[in-house]
């Protein structure tokens, strides 16, 4: 974030300087054009082939000198602007790292004969999830991969979300009505009806919005009393209905169709995916998000990662740090990590449940076992190593 702020400051300076030069140039050029046109009209009033008077010759000479000086000044300002724009590129190079090859030495594995089709299928799935069937069909045909599911439930959700972002809640409302029972305790239906009421107020008038609210809002009044009251009050400021002045801050978000649509689209995708048990991100989008989050940390520790002891401590398919994907990253986790050896479980080293309920890896179990006895490292319970049971995560 600090890097983005640093680049944004230099970019704002470049834009500000460009706008100032642009405004100043327009004023100067317009002034010169008016002077040239006035001089042309004055000369045109003389009879044909009449030589210029001494005064007119001086005016022409002064005007030519001013044009030359203006061109020189504009050229100087352009050079200064070019230097300011160049500083933006230097700022990007300074704040962002362009070469991540050192932290991803195995990137060429994506191009292998076995992994390339998997990568192409992930791309095709992502395209179809976005509802871009024609693009997906062309990609599948040109890449020559095996057929991918062309239509999916997420594509329909994506189209509804896109309509919401454009200010049209009708497709999402139809979807919500089909799943009314499952959405009984969800805030999504009220959010969509509120958006539709505000849209009617803008397009057909406040009367139509009030009629729609009387028909749809009562069933949501108990759970959304404050939001409902705010929506009804916001109708007074639609089309400037309250007379003069700007609406109160509490209603401005409701009266901004773009912001309201974006928030409704985000809520719709989240609630619909939870209802249909769909991942909100495609495998490709999830991988890109995780990679974007972990790359800066990997770059910071790349010198330590090259140390022989560090390389030996981590397996080839395991990162040397924990990746926090944030709220938007989904519920992904690396199955199980042994709390004793700090290693990720695998088929050769599966998680084992002790009688007390604590779980450790099989390698840790073997190392802690002393003959026929094993003491749990987290509680006083003792047991035989053979009493531990392998567990499976689905």
């Amino acid at each position: 974030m600090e890097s983005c702020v640093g680049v944004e400051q230099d970019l704002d300076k470049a834009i500000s300087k460009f706008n100032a030069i642009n405004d100043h140039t327009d004023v100067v050029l317009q002034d010169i054009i008016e002077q040239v046109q006035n001089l042309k009209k004055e000369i045109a009033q003389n009879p044909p082939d009449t030589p210029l008077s001494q005064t007119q010759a001086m005016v022409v000479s002064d005007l030519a000198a001013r044009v030359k000086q203006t061109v020189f000044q504009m050229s100087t300002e352009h050079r200064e602007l070019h230097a300011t724009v160049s500083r933006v590129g230097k700022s990007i190079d300074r704040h962002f790292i362009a070469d991540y090859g050192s932290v991803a030495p195995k990137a060429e594995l994506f191009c292998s004969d076995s992994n390339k089709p998997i990568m192409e299928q992930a791309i095709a799935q992502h395209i179809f999830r976005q509802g871009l069937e024609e693009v997906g069909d062309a990609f599948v045909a040109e890449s020559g991969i095996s057929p991918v599911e062309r239509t999916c439930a997420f594509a329909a959700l994506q189209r509804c979300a896109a309509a919401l972002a454009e200010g049209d809640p009708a497709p999402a409302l139809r979807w919500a009505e089909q799943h009314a029972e499952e959405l009984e305790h969800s805030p999504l239906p009220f959010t969509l009806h509120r958006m539709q009421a505000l849209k009617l107020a803008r397009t057909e008038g406040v009367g139509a919005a009030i009629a729609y609210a009387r028909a749809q809002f009562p069933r949501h009044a108990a759970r959304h009393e404050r939001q409902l009251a705010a929506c009804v009050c916001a109708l007074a400021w639609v089309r400037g209905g309250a007379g003069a002045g700007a609406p109160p801050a509490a209603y401005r978000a409701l009266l901004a169709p773009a912001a309201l649509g974006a928030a409704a689209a985000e809520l719709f995708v989240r609630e619909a995916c939870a209802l249909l048990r769909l991942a909100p991100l495609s495998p490709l989008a999830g991988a890109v998000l995780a990679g974007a989050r972990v790359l800066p940390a990997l770059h910071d520790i790349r010198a330590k990662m090259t140390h022989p002891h560090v390389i030996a401590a981590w397996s080839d398919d395991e990162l040397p740090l924990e990746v926090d994907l944030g709220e938007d990253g989904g519920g992904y986790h690396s199955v199980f990590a042994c709390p004793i050896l700090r290693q990720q479980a695998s088929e050769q080293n599966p998680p084992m449940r002790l009688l007390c309920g604590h779980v450790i890896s099989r390698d840790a179990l073997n190392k802690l076992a002393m003959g026929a006895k094993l003491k749990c490292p987290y509680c006083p319970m003792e047991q035989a190593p053979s009493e531990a049971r392998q567990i499976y995560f689905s």
Side-chain angles (χ1 to χ4, degrees):
M1 181 59 68
E2 294 179 358
S3 299
C4 294
V5 172
V7 174
E8 185 179 12
Q9 291 176 350
D10 292 330
L11 183 61
D12 290 340
K13 291 179 181 179
I15 294 175
S16 177
K17 190 164 187 176
F18 173 81
N19 292 333
I21 293 177
N22 185 56
D23 296 340
H24 178 259
T25 302
D26 288 343
V27 173
V28 172
L29 290 179
Q30 187 62 33
D31 186 31
I32 292 179
I33 291 173
E34 291 178 358
Q35 292 187 25
V36 171
Q37 290 176 345
N38 293 335
L39 181 60
K40 182 179 178 181
K41 291 179 181 179
E42 182 180 347
I43 295 175
Q45 293 176 357
N46 297 333
D49 300 329
T50 302
L52 298 177
S53 63
Q54 185 176 3
T55 302
Q56 291 175 337
M58 292 179 60
V59 172
V60 171
S61 178
D62 292 342
L63 187 57
R66 184 180 177 188
V67 170
K68 185 176 180 180
Q69 178 64 27
T70 301
V71 171
F72 176 78
Q73 182 178 357
M74 292 173 58
S75 177
T76 302
E77 292 177 348
H78 183 269
R79 286 196 299 270
E80 294 176 355
L81 178 62
H82 185 271
T84 304
V85 174
S86 299
R87 279 195 290 271
V88 175
K90 295 178 181 178
S91 178
I92 294 175
D93 295 337
R94 184 173 63 255
H95 288 90
F96 295 95
I97 301 165
D99 181 19
Y100 280 105
S102 58
V103 299
K106 298 183 180 180
E108 65 275 4
L109 294 178
F110 290 108
C111 302
S112 65
D113 294 337
S114 59
N115 292 335
K116 184 177 180 182
I118 299 175
M119 186 66 183
E120 291 174 342
Q121 284 188 346
I123 295 174
Q125 290 174 359
H126 179 77
I127 294 174
F128 284 126
R129 278 175 61 97
Q130 303 305 311
L132 304 174
E133 286 87 357
E134 295 182 2
V135 178
D137 290 338
F139 180 83
V140 171
E142 294 182 8
S143 61
I145 61 176
S146 58
V148 179
E149 184 182 2
R150 188 176 185 277
T151 58
C152 61
F154 190 86
L157 302 183
Q158 192 69 21
R159 286 190 286 269
C160 293
L164 284 172
E166 295 176 357
D168 181 15
L173 279 170
R174 289 193 293 268
W175 186 92
E177 290 174 0
Q178 296 173 359
H179 301 81
E181 294 183 2
E182 297 93 331
L183 295 172
E184 181 179 359
H185 302 290
S186 170
L188 179 61
F190 171 75
T191 301
L192 298 177
H193 287 304
R194 180 181 63 180
M195 185 175 176
Q196 178 65 13
L198 292 168
K199 179 184 177 182
L200 290 174
R202 293 191 302 271
T203 57
E204 301 181 16
V206 176
I210 293 177
Y212 182 86
R214 287 174 176 171
Q216 301 295 338
F217 282 2
R219 71 188 74 172
H220 305 288
R223 298 186 66 244
H224 305 281
E225 181 178 358
R226 295 183 62 182
Q227 296 92 327
L228 191 152
C231 177
V232 173
C233 293
L235 294 176
W237 274 270
V238 177
R239 293 183 173 183
Y251 308 138
R252 290 173 188 170
L254 297 175
L255 299 176
L260 194 66
E266 181 180 355
L267 176 64
F268 176 82
V269 172
R270 184 170 66 249
E271 293 291 320
C273 287
L275 189 151
L276 299 178
R277 298 184 179 274
L278 295 174
L281 296 175
S282 67
L284 179 63
V288 170
L289 175 63
R293 285 182 176 272
V294 74
L295 270 179
L298 286 177
H299 187 272
D300 291 340
I301 65 171
R302 64 177 178 175
K304 298 180 181 179
M305 289 172 59
T306 57
H307 195 278
H309 297 292
V310 176
I311 294 177
W314 300 96
S315 59
D316 292 338
D317 58 350
E318 187 176 351
L319 290 174
L321 73 162
E322 185 175 351
V323 182
D324 182 11
L325 298 181
E327 296 180 357
D328 299 330
Y332 306 104
H333 194 269
S334 58
V335 185
F336 174 77
C338 177
I340 305 301
L341 300 180
R342 305 291 182 181
Q343 292 180 348
Q344 181 176 321
S346 62
E347 294 182 0
Q348 296 74 26
N349 182 29
M352 306 294 293
R353 181 185 183 276
L354 306 181
L355 291 179
C356 56
H358 293 110
V359 180
I360 60 177
S361 65
R362 178 179 289 172
D363 288 349
L365 175 69
N366 295 333
K367 291 181 179 181
L368 292 173
M370 300 180 62
K373 291 186 178 181
L374 168 69
K375 182 179 181 300
C376 175
Y378 288 98
C379 67
M381 180 174 288
E382 292 186 357
Q383 66 178 74
S386 59
E387 293 178 311
R389 293 292 180 263
Q390 181 176 344
I391 62 175
Y392 302 85
F393 295 96
S394 59

